[in-house]
Amino acid sequence: MYFRDTIGQSTAKDELRRSFLSGVVPHARLFVGEDGSGALALAYAYARYINCSTPDAEDACGVCPSCQKFDQYAGQDLHFLFPIVNVGSRNLCDDELPRWREFLASSPYTTYADWLRLEDAESKRLGIFTREGEVLQDKLSYQVTDARYRILLIWLPERMHEALANKLLKLTEEPPEHTIILMVTMNEREVLGTLRSRMQTLHLRPLSEAEIAMGLAKVANPPAGADSSLSAHLASGNYRKALDHYLGRADSTDKLTTLYGRILRATVNARPLEIKALADELAGLSREEQMELLTYVGQMFRESYLHGLQMPEINYINPTEQRIVDYLRTCINGRNIRSLHDELDLAMRHIAQNVNSRMVFYDMILRLTAALAPHYRQIGLR
């Protein structure tokens, strides 16, 4: 992965290149970007660039010994930490390096869902475990061999066990000589605050529709009827979302849309046994899936509200979602949108605090039912 492999983000790239070429290389950086935004690819491209023997003003050379090692996602001075399945007391990130390299090589816009599928762990919670600390300390005790900088790249530090995060505090504040720590997060707030304070933070901005459309225009052999402009509009600044839509690839949105429709149906029917059965089913999802669902429901409430205001230029819904929005018509409006989002925020806080998820979803759906009931009656859904 090179700088040229990530679309847009000219401000972030310019800052990274300019600091290195001026001789300023912070010992620790935190890259912040949503899932599939290319943040991991940008961090890796930066690691390659600062180790390249003959970089130019735009990118690494691609032919020097360092670049050749980065092409293989390997090297004695390149170390990774990333979430893995806890299958025993001894498994480590190093055990998963072949899959990790396959993951990195697959696309600059890989997602957490891609990693779960590769790990065959779609219903499991992955983590970066405390036992990595001793191994990491041993690795960093050796002198840098043939690289300008030793790189420690940590993907999703928010998944780090707290004991390991605390061990990394001293390392991040005063790393060994010629050691650069790069972390890539999808949720900055969940990264240990004292750890964040020791790093320079780089936020990736959402891409413009024009940037996304230009990137899609370079995709080889798109399916018949693919509309780059529509895909770019629906992506809300995320190139991976646009690419999946453009190529007609199924993604988690299909499942989320189905679950969202069932939640709404339960609020319309207002049958306690139906609500209980749905809450039990949602409780069976992993915590990540539950949080993703609640975030999606919030987004759809926003889209329904904007649809009622007749503002298509800032509406981002696909045809399946459009049918749900049309069915609701004006049920989600200025009189209840705030209270609906408050219920979702409360549910997300409770899930994050490990409250019993059956109770959380049952209570949430009951509260949404009460908030929506008067508006259902107004348009004849009750």
Side-chain angles (χ1 to χ4, degrees), residues 43-64:
Y44 194 81
Y46 173 65
R48 176 196 290 270
Y49 189 69
I50 64 176
N51 269 306
C52 178
S53 299
T54 55
D56 60 26
E58 297 297 322
D59 219 331
C61 70
V63 296
C64 69

Side-chain angles (χ1 to χ4, degrees), residues 26 29 33 74 116 127 130 140 164 172 265 270 296 336:
R29 282 188 182 271
L116 288 177
T130 304
L140 300 186
L164 177 59
T172 305
R265 192 179 307 116
Y296 177 76
N336 62 11

Side-chain angles (χ1 to χ4, degrees), residues 53-86:
S53 299
T54 55
D56 60 26
E58 297 297 322
D59 219 331
C61 70
V63 296
C64 69
S66 175
C67 282
Q68 291 177 20
K69 290 178 181 178
F70 270 85
D71 285 342
Q72 302 301 316
Y73 306 98
Q76 292 181 341
D77 298 308
L78 179 61
H79 307 290
F80 300 101
L81 287 179
F82 46 87
I84 60 173
V85 179
N86 187 14

Side-chain angles (χ1 to χ4, degrees), residues 262-270 365 368-369 372 376 382:
R262 292 178 59 193
I263 290 172
L264 288 179
R265 192 179 307 116
T267 64
V268 173
N269 296 338
I365 297 173
L368 293 179
T369 299
L372 290 167
Y376 287 158
R382 284 278 185 87

Side-chain angles (χ1 to χ4, degrees), residues 102-278:
E102 180 183 349
F103 173 71
L104 290 177
S106 63
S107 167
Y109 291 93
T110 50
T111 65
Y112 184 64
D114 295 332
W115 177 239
L116 288 177
R117 283 191 290 269
L118 200 58
E119 284 279 274
D120 192 23
E122 293 175 273
S123 62
K124 300 175 183 177
R125 176 170 173 78
L126 279 58
I128 305 175
F129 302 105
T130 304
R131 55 181 172 269
E132 300 283 355
E134 185 176 344
V135 178
L136 182 62
Q137 185 175 4
D138 184 58
K139 289 178 179 178
L140 300 186
S141 65
Y142 298 103
Q143 289 187 343
V144 177
T145 55
D146 56 354
R148 181 182 290 117
Y149 296 105
R150 172 167 44 205
I151 302 296
L152 172 59
L153 178 55
I154 303 176
W155 184 52
L156 304 186
E158 60 267 36
R159 300 299 177 90
M160 236 189 297
H161 283 202
E162 187 173 353
L164 177 59
N166 285 321
K167 282 184 179 181
L168 285 172
L169 287 176
K170 179 67 173 177
L171 175 65
T172 305
E173 186 172 15
E174 298 179 8
E177 191 176 10
H178 304 301
T179 298
I180 304 298
I181 300 171
L182 306 176
M183 300 192 191
V184 182
T185 179
M186 296 188 297
N187 193 332
E188 183 182 5
R189 291 183 299 176
E190 290 191 7
V191 179
L192 188 67
T194 48
L195 200 56
R196 292 201 311 267
S197 67
R198 287 161 169 77
M199 297 183 284
Q200 287 196 13
T201 302
L202 187 70
H203 293 90
L204 271 64
R205 63 172 179 79
L207 297 173
S208 70
E209 291 185 20
E211 288 173 324
I212 293 175
M214 288 178 62
L216 294 177
K218 299 176 183 178
V219 174
N221 303 316
D227 187 336
S228 60
S229 297
L230 176 62
S231 297
H233 177 69
L234 295 177
S236 301
N238 187 301
Y239 181 75
R240 174 57 186 266
K241 291 180 181 179
L243 184 64
D244 285 341
H245 182 271
Y246 186 63
L247 296 178
R249 294 195 298 223
D251 59 19
S252 60
T253 303
D254 298 330
K255 179 181 179 181
L256 294 174
T257 303
T258 300
L259 291 175
Y260 173 62
R262 292 178 59 193
I263 290 172
L264 288 179
R265 192 179 307 116
T267 64
V268 173
N269 296 338
R271 297 170 186 160
L273 290 179
E274 179 184 348
I275 294 174
K276 180 181 181 301
L278 179 56

